[in-house]
Amino acid sequence: VLLQASGGGLVHTGGFLRLSCAASGSIFSIDDMGWYRQAPGKMRELVALIRGGVDTIYADSVKGRFTISSDNAKNTAYLQMNSLRREDTADYYCYVDFARTSASSYLERSWGRGTLVTVSS
């Protein structure tokens, strides 16, 4: 399963960006999709995830500013990032937890390549 991530870039403080993550390959069903991020010298942290296309979880630091959504027909998730702050600067990694076949008894995880988001003042 491959993840095609896009949407990173350079933005000023207070600006916005939208990340996309499209999964393709042998997927029977998706449990959840989301993003982690890793800033220089820091641990990777969960930013947001969406489960079943409905339930969402956000890091406290992004609540009210970021919105995760998904298009289940396209196996694609989106992360709308508003009111960006310098501390949002990081490499953002999308992932998908999925079942490969109807007979799968466990979920697998695939990762996309990092997408750099840089917020400057």
Side-chain angles (χ1 to χ4, degrees), residues 11-17 65-66 80-85 119:
V11 65
H12 291 297
T13 302
F16 62 91
L17 286 173
R65 301 187 298 121
F66 291 12
Q80 179 68 39
M81 306 185 294
N82 297 331
S83 302
L84 283 162
R85 305 168 179 168
V119 184

Side-chain angles (χ1 to χ4, degrees), residues 3 7 10 13-14 16 18 20 23 37 39 42 51 57 59 72 77-79 98 100-101 106 112 114 118-119 121:
L3 294 182
L10 173 65
T13 302
F16 62 91
R18 188 190 195 211
S20 299
R37 68 185 180 186
K42 294 188 176 181
R51 180 164 293 144
I57 294 174
N72 295 335
Y78 306 95
L79 184 67
F98 65 98
R100 191 174 292 274
T101 73
Y106 59 90
T118 303
V119 184
S121 58

Side-chain angles (χ1 to χ4, degrees), residues 37-95:
R37 68 185 180 186
Q38 187 166 22
K42 294 188 176 181
M43 299 287 288
R44 186 176 292 194
E45 62 174 353
L46 176 68
V47 178
L49 69 87
I50 184 165
R51 180 164 293 144
V54 178
D55 297 328
T56 57
I57 294 174
Y58 296 93
D60 288 342
S61 59
V62 306
K63 284 180 181 176
R65 301 187 298 121
F66 291 12
T67 302
I68 190 169
S69 61
S70 66
D71 183 335
N72 295 335
K74 296 181 179 179
N75 288 342
T76 300
Y78 306 95
L79 184 67
Q80 179 68 39
M81 306 185 294
N82 297 331
S83 302
L84 283 162
R85 305 168 179 168
R86 291 188 64 183
E87 54 263 39
D88 295 318
T89 295
D91 283 310
Y92 285 68
Y93 298 87
C94 68
Y95 77 92

